[in-house]
Amino acid sequence: MIRRLSEIDLPRRLESWAPRLATELTVAALTIGAAMSLRGLIESWTPGVVPFALSFPAVLITTLLAGWRAGTAALVFGGIATWYLFMEPRFSFALTAVGAVNLALYAFAAASVVVFADAYRGSALRYARESEQQLREREALLAALRESQARLDLATSAGGVGVWDWRLTSNEMIYSAEAKAICGFPPDQPVTFEQVRAIIHPDDAPRTAAQRERALDPASRDEAPYEYRIITPGGEERWVLARGRAVFHERDGRMVATRYVGTLQDITARKRAEEGLAASEARLRLAVEAGRMAVWQIDAATGAIAHSPELNRMLGLPPDARPTVEEINARYLPGEFERMRGAAQAALARGERFFEAEYQYRWPSGEVRWLLIRAEFLLAPNGQPRSAIGVLMDVTSRKQAEERLKLLAREVDHRANNLLAVVQGTVTLSKAEDVAALKEVIVGRVNALARAHQLLAEARWEGADLRRLVEEELLAFSLGEAARVSIEGDELALPPAAAQSIAMALHELATNAAKYGALSTATGRVSVAWTRSPDGRLLIRWTETGGPPVRKPTRRGLGTSMLARALEGPLMGETRMDWRPGGLVCELELPLAPETLPAPAEPSPS
């Protein structure tokens, strides 16, 4: 109450309508008057109880309300009232010793009240003002703290961030509502350290423990964020991002961590997206590698090109090479770059953003490769290409296969014409005693050509295996008895023309052996062997044994003529017949060196 009175300061409040001194005197007079009135009232009820004690509270209140001058005025007014009450009624204004002592005591006591009351009034007023300022500052601080907390709650809620506080001294875990939701903890129950440790994925627990130890170590105080997996009490696996900071205090002369506070964020969606992106990139990389493609991108303004080991491999360069666009363009075969640029410009002129073309490119080693480029133009707002991105593929094998197919088609056409000519000649030269015999002769020779043709077709007309050719011809005449036929020689692929001719020659020899020679009897045998000389000439030796006695014919028969015609001519071959008594020995010789073989004839325009 006294403090509240000391804050009133009536003269300052009333100085707008009255002088300050007049106000102080008025306050003193009114207070003393009120005290004396109250004393008279009490005296009338109980005479002698209250001599002049009410003057001291009046002086005290006056001093606290209006200051030391008002208190002094109250002292004077009270002294006059005391003098009047104690002296005037009994001694007719005569100053007695008792009255003087009472008056002195009153003056001393009242003056002390004025001094101490005014001193207390000043200190109380200052204390009240300071307390009021501190109260305002505390209220402002609390308001700012509440506003900051509201902003923090809004930010953490909007960002899905939970706040946690691990008090190490008591091992108490304090989790915000958001942090509990992330971890799958009940929102209305406290969180324990054991619960937090139990939800960490077993594979990530050692790593998180190591990070925690570094954070709580005063020497390192590691505050780096870390990611790990948790398994919620419901069994759901989640990825979280944690950030933590330890609070240290000094104990017994050393720093120790007392709290570990931080945030927790659910990043499961981001990790799933990263995993999906990584899987997509892996599939794309696998598809590019499986398709033997190289991805490239070029900036039209700067000419900068995105390099990669795959692109360098396509261009015949080391994996770490960084060629410029000019260096790449310089290796186009003459005219190819101009053709490609014209085709790209034509595509842009038609409003097309996609472009595809094949071109020939020379590697630094000098090898020429066929490359297929597929590109998409990324256009600027003005319609001009800003950049281009695409893939590059090496199609050399395909182009070579296409060339082989074209050559094979020409070769088949040429061989078909030759085969028809051979069949026509065979029919023309074939003779027999009757139609049935003539038919048998023609069918046998055509079958020989057909077998050779089949072997060539199986080898894509690149050559027929000599051993299979011999087996095909002889097994048909050996009646399935493999012991009657002996074949010896290395693996050898005959050119198409040589295969057809040798097939015809072997057919004639086998037919003659079956009719008149070794294969006409049960004890006869035929041996076929071949060798190849260093200069590339092929020598095939046909030997018959165990057959009927042989005599050299007196004239050249049709079979001998067919043998000679089969190897002579364009093949430049030679046939040698040795009619030995024990059996026929025939040698077929022809050159197989590439430079001695005739070039295949081009197909006729028809």
Side-chain angles (χ1 to χ4, degrees):
M1 178 179 177
I2 296 176
R3 182 185 304 171
R4 300 302 300 174
L5 289 174
S6 66
E7 297 176 8
I8 295 176
D9 197 5
L10 284 178
R12 186 176 300 277
R13 293 175 179 269
L14 301 177
E15 64 183 0
S16 60
W17 60 272
R20 185 179 181 85
L21 181 59
T23 302
E24 293 176 356
L25 293 176
T26 302
V27 170
L30 291 175
T31 307
I32 292 298
M36 293 299 103
S37 299
L38 181 60
R39 179 193 178 283
L41 182 61
I42 296 174
E43 182 69 18
S44 64
W45 289 343
T46 54
V49 174
V50 184
F52 62 90
L54 289 179
S55 298
F56 298 106
V59 173
L60 174 63
I61 293 173
T62 302
T63 306
L64 293 177
L65 287 176
W68 67 273
R69 289 187 299 185
T72 303
L75 171 63
V76 174
F77 294 154
I80 296 173
T82 302
W83 173 77
Y84 176 78
L85 292 174
F86 275 90
M87 300 179 186
E88 188 276 331
R90 299 177 185 178
F91 302 103
S92 303
F93 298 95
L95 184 63
T96 63
V98 175
V101 171
N102 282 297
L103 184 61
L105 290 175
Y106 165 78
F108 176 76
S112 300
V113 168
V114 170
V115 172
F116 287 106
D118 187 68
Y120 175 79
R121 176 180 178 277
S123 61
L125 182 59
R126 287 192 300 272
Y127 175 75
R129 289 174 179 172
E130 291 175 358
S131 298
E132 183 179 5
Q133 180 66 23
Q134 292 177 357
L135 181 62
R136 292 195 186 99
E137 291 177 354
R138 186 178 65 176
E139 290 177 351
L141 182 60
L142 289 175
L145 182 61
R146 286 192 295 268
E147 183 179 358
S148 176
Q149 183 65 36
R151 289 197 300 268
L152 177 61
D153 293 342
L154 179 61
T156 55
S157 177
V161 178
V163 180
W164 50 269
D165 185 353
W166 182 17
R167 300 183 179 180
L168 302 173
T169 54
S170 61
N171 205 28
E172 181 183 5
M173 304 295 293
I174 300 176
Y175 269 47
S176 67
E178 189 68 29
K180 289 181 179 180
I182 292 173
C183 297
F185 296 145
D188 55 348
Q189 295 182 10
V191 178
T192 64
F193 176 76
E194 288 72 19
Q195 287 178 300
V196 174
R197 184 171 57 184
I199 66 172
I200 300 177
H201 196 285
D203 295 341
D204 297 341
R207 180 165 51 84
T208 58
Q211 173 64 29
R212 183 173 64 247
E213 293 299 327
R214 289 192 298 271
L216 301 181
D217 185 0
S220 60
R221 304 192 181 194
D222 191 358
E223 299 179 4
Y226 53 99
E227 301 174 355
Y228 61 97
R229 290 166 293 175
I230 63 173
I231 301 177
T232 66
E236 181 184 358
E237 182 178 301
R238 296 177 181 175
W239 276 95
V240 296
L241 170 63
R243 292 182 173 89
R245 173 181 295 179
V247 179
F248 295 89
H249 290 89
E250 185 175 356
R251 289 183 179 177
D252 299 330
R254 64 186 185 92
M255 300 298 295
V256 294
T258 58
R259 293 173 61 195
Y260 189 30
V261 297
T263 60
L264 197 67
Q265 186 176 5
D266 189 342
I267 58 171
T268 305
R270 192 197 77 190
K271 296 297 288 188
R272 297 289 184 265
E274 291 176 355
E275 293 173 357
L277 179 60
S280 176
E281 292 178 349
R283 289 194 298 269
L284 176 60
R285 184 167 53 252
L286 180 61
V288 169
E289 293 176 354
R292 298 186 64 80
M293 295 183 294
V295 180
W296 59 269
Q297 184 173 9
I298 184 172
D299 188 282
T302 63
I305 186 171
H307 298 89
S308 66
E310 293 81 9
L311 180 61
N312 290 335
R313 177 176 55 81
M314 293 286 180
L315 301 178
L317 300 172
D320 56 348
R322 305 192 62 83
T324 63
V325 176
E326 292 75 15
E327 292 173 344
I328 294 175
N329 294 341
R331 294 198 171 276
Y332 282 79
L333 260 62
E336 291 287 76
F337 177 72
E338 291 74 15
R339 179 176 64 84
M340 295 281 293
R341 182 172 57 183
Q345 292 174 349
L348 287 173
R350 293 191 300 268
E352 299 175 358
R353 295 193 302 115
F354 296 94
F355 171 71
E356 178 178 333
E358 296 176 354
Y359 63 95
Q360 288 180 290
Y361 186 85
R362 189 182 302 277
W363 279 6
S365 62
E367 182 180 357
V368 177
R369 308 291 295 183
W370 276 96
L371 302 179
L372 169 64
I373 184 173
R374 289 193 177 102
E376 178 183 1
F377 298 106
L378 305 179
L379 304 180
N382 59 1
Q384 296 299 315
R386 183 179 67 244
S387 63
I389 186 172
V391 295
L392 191 69
M393 291 183 288
D394 191 328
V395 294
T396 305
S397 299
R398 177 172 64 79
K399 296 294 288 186
Q400 291 174 348
E402 291 176 356
E403 291 298 325
R404 285 195 299 268
L405 287 176
K406 292 178 182 179
L407 179 61
L408 179 60
R410 291 195 298 267
E411 180 69 17
V412 169
D413 186 45
H414 174 67
R415 295 304 172 189
N417 291 334
N418 290 345
L419 182 60
L420 290 175
V422 172
V423 172
Q424 183 180 3
T426 299
V427 173
T428 303
L429 296 175
S430 296
K431 296 180 181 180
E433 297 177 354
D434 51 31
V435 175
L438 178 60
K439 179 181 177 181
E440 182 180 357
V441 171
I442 293 175
V443 170
R445 291 172 178 172
V446 172
N447 285 338
L449 291 174
R451 286 190 288 271
H453 184 84
Q454 181 180 358
L455 293 177
L456 289 172
E458 292 177 359
R460 302 179 64 87
W461 285 87
E462 294 181 356
D465 183 58
L466 178 56
R467 177 178 292 276
R468 285 196 59 189
L469 191 63
V470 173
E471 290 175 351
E472 292 287 342
E473 292 296 336
L474 288 182
L475 291 180
F477 294 92
S478 64
L479 302 178
E481 299 179 12
R484 301 185 66 189
V485 177
S486 173
I487 302 174
E488 183 179 356
D490 298 331
E491 297 291 333
L492 179 61
L494 296 173
Q500 290 179 350
S501 299
I502 292 176
M504 290 291 296
L506 292 175
H507 176 72
E508 293 301 327
L509 290 172
T511 301
N512 184 73
K515 288 183 177 181
Y516 314 109
L519 296 180
S520 64
T521 63
T523 59
R525 293 176 55 86
V526 174
S527 173
V528 181
W530 62 86
T531 58
R532 190 172 184 180
S533 63
D535 60 355
R537 295 186 67 83
L538 173 64
L539 176 62
I540 301 176
R541 180 183 293 271
W542 173 283
T543 305
E544 298 183 19
T545 58
V550 176
R551 291 183 301 174
K552 182 177 180 180
T554 57
R555 63 184 180 85
R556 186 174 185 181
L558 180 59
T560 305
S561 299
M562 290 296 298
L563 284 172
R565 292 174 65 90
L567 298 182
E568 295 175 0
L571 291 178
M572 295 180 291
E574 183 180 356
T575 302
R576 295 187 293 270
M577 309 287 289
D578 185 3
W579 304 93
R580 299 178 182 179
L584 173 65
V585 176
C586 177
E587 292 183 349
L588 308 176
E589 186 176 0
L590 69 159
L592 290 183
E595 62 270 15
T596 62
L597 295 177
E602 293 293 332
S604 61
S606 60

